[in-house]
Amino acid sequence: MSPRRKTAASTGITGYRRNRFSLVLASSVCGEAQVTVHYGWMRTEFFTIVVCSVACAVSALAHDPGLSSATMVVGDQDIKAVALFHSRDLQQLIKNGASSYPSLANQILRLQHGGESLPPKLERVERDVNDNVRFQLSYVRSSPGSLTVSSGIIGRLPFGHREFVTIRTASGESLGDRLLSARENEFSVFVAAASQSRAVSGFADFFLLGIRHILTGYDHLLFLLGILIVCSGFFAAARIITCFTLAHSITLALATFHVVNLSNRIVEPLIAASIVYVGCENLVGRNSLQWRWILTFAFGLFHGLGFASVLKEMGVGESSVGIALPLVSFNLGVETGQLAIAALILPLAWKAKESANLSRIAVPWLSAIIVIAGTFWFVQRVFLA
């Protein structure tokens, strides 16, 4: 028999630098599953290293990072929470076995209500037959306001861990839900009181939220700046502000009542594109500025959808209770903040127009900055989101 026809058993597979073979790799990480790899005419040592490396990488990527849950029920004077974790996810956080679970109670869920931190009270902790650890917590609350929930341990859990948080009222109405991660570890909803003061407090909370949103919404502010710096007088400015207000009020209401439902992946880039367009028109399209109120109305529709995302994140519109009040008060807050900004911008713009040289320099430079910022946001929201 020719030496080249000898079997692998008689010569040893490593005796050949090149040979066709079948490699069966049993991975201890994958349990009983076996992976069979057929490859030919390669160095045995090199191929074995490659296969083992790929198997380890796939096994690592396939590892379940863990999923926990937290269900919260908001009552008139308290908040009840049940958090559920698999015991293996908590192993690296405890030192003395199950006896250390109560020590995690203060870190499981962190609640801020009305600007104050709520201390948790551990009512019960137990481990069930499926090796899950259940924490039952309670918090005392006394007034309506924004409720912000975050996890105090998710950053120390295995990489990629997620926690699904659900918040509802005692009557079963959903206030919202969110999937938390180490990167996005915060969730806010509005919690109203059951008393007669609910309307007044709710109005104030959402009114202030609207003012805060417009003052910190730099994309909306830059759009407004681009619109107003070329206004020639009070009536032109008033017409533009009215069109913008009317447009975003329409889409804010339609989105909150779920008549219009457009993804933020579409809305946010369109808002950035509106900023770029306004800046470019200030630079090269001076002849079309007389029709700017129409353009402002069109772009205002998209900005209204952006405003609506704030109310959606807080759970407004997800239940049958309390839609009109948050909608009206939030929109009034936005308008108040918008008018305050216009009151600052317009006198400066009109003062600059009194000096031809200053106007000739300031408007192009500000418009160029608006175009650059809008372009940055557009690229970020389309390609980096």
Side-chain angles (χ1 to χ4, degrees):
M1 180 183 294
S2 172
R4 290 187 178 276
R5 295 184 177 274
K6 292 181 180 180
T7 64
S10 62
T11 63
I13 195 169
T14 58
Y16 290 100
R17 298 178 67 85
R18 297 176 180 274
N19 191 15
R20 182 177 299 277
F21 64 94
S22 175
L23 175 66
V24 179
L25 177 65
S27 172
S28 60
V29 180
C30 300
E32 298 180 355
Q34 290 185 334
V35 181
T36 304
V37 183
H38 296 277
Y39 207 84
W41 305 105
M42 291 191 67
R43 296 177 184 275
T44 303
E45 295 87 349
F46 174 76
F47 181 70
T48 303
I49 292 173
V50 171
V51 171
C52 291
S53 300
V54 172
C56 291
V58 171
S59 175
L61 291 174
H63 176 65
D64 182 9
L67 176 66
S68 55
S69 66
T71 301
M72 305 177 62
V73 179
V74 180
D76 291 340
Q77 297 181 342
D78 64 356
I79 300 174
K80 301 288 187 182
V82 176
L84 191 67
F85 296 83
H86 196 279
S87 62
R88 69 168 176 267
D89 295 328
L90 301 177
Q91 286 178 357
Q92 64 189 51
L93 303 182
I94 61 176
K95 298 179 181 179
N96 303 315
S99 61
S100 294
Y101 288 140
S103 65
L104 296 176
N106 292 334
Q107 309 169 47
I108 293 295
L109 290 172
R110 292 176 177 170
L111 272 62
Q112 283 195 336
H113 185 45
E116 298 181 357
S117 297
L118 302 183
K121 177 184 177 182
L122 178 62
E123 296 188 346
R124 188 176 183 182
V125 59
E126 58 185 359
R127 189 168 175 174
D128 62 24
V129 293
N130 295 319
D131 216 18
N132 295 317
V133 182
R134 184 188 305 271
F135 296 85
Q136 295 184 10
L137 307 166
S138 63
Y139 305 80
V140 177
R141 77 179 191 94
S142 57
S143 62
S146 177
L147 173 65
T148 301
V149 181
S150 62
S151 171
I153 64 172
I154 198 167
R156 294 182 288 151
L157 294 176
F159 178 76
H161 187 96
R162 298 290 188 272
E163 182 169 2
F164 186 69
V165 178
T166 301
I167 305 177
R168 56 186 174 85
T169 64
S171 60
E173 296 168 349
S174 174
L175 295 177
D177 51 61
R178 182 66 57 85
L179 195 62
L180 301 182
S181 66
R183 185 177 179 181
E184 298 181 359
N185 183 22
E186 193 170 278
F187 175 36
S188 297
V189 298
F190 180 78
V191 177
S195 63
Q196 294 295 327
S197 63
R198 171 179 176 177
V200 177
S201 300
F203 181 91
D205 285 321
F206 278 101
F207 181 78
L208 294 175
L209 179 64
I211 294 177
R212 184 166 60 248
H213 180 70
I214 190 66
L215 294 180
T216 57
Y218 304 116
D219 48 356
H220 302 298
L221 289 180
L222 211 57
F223 176 80
L224 197 59
L225 175 64
I227 289 290
L228 295 178
I229 58 175
V230 293
C231 288
S232 57
F234 174 80
F235 291 105
R239 182 169 56 180
I240 285 177
I241 293 174
T242 301
C243 288
F244 186 62
T245 298
L246 182 61
H248 73 64
S249 297
I250 291 173
T251 47
L252 174 60
L254 292 177
T256 304
F257 283 100
H258 300 286
V259 177
V260 175
N261 189 15
L262 202 59
S263 170
N264 279 346
R265 289 187 172 272
I266 299 175
V267 172
E268 294 300 326
L270 286 174
I271 292 175
S274 71
I275 297 170
V276 175
Y277 184 90
V278 166
C280 290
E281 190 179 57
N282 288 350
L283 292 171
V284 298
R286 293 298 184 90
N287 293 330
S288 62
L289 294 182
Q290 58 181 328
W291 304 107
R292 173 154 284 193
W293 63 275
I294 298 178
L295 180 71
T296 302
F297 182 87
F299 283 139
L301 296 174
F302 298 114
H303 284 256
L305 294 175
F307 293 148
S309 64
V310 179
L311 296 182
K312 286 184 178 180
E313 289 176 0
M314 298 185 68
V316 176
E318 298 299 327
S319 65
S320 59
V321 177
I323 298 179
L325 176 64
L327 176 63
V328 173
S329 55
F330 177 81
N331 196 40
L332 287 176
V334 169
E335 301 315 320
T336 302
Q338 182 177 287
L339 291 175
I341 294 166
L344 292 175
I345 295 176
L346 288 175
L348 295 176
W350 294 336
K351 189 69 175 178
K353 286 182 180 298
E354 295 178 0
S355 172
N357 292 331
L358 182 60
S359 179
R360 191 165 52 247
I361 295 173
V363 172
W365 274 101
L366 285 174
S367 298
I369 293 173
I370 290 171
V371 171
I372 293 172
T375 302
F376 171 77
W377 283 323
F378 182 82
V379 172
Q380 182 187 54
R381 294 170 184 182
V382 172
F383 301 105
L384 303 179

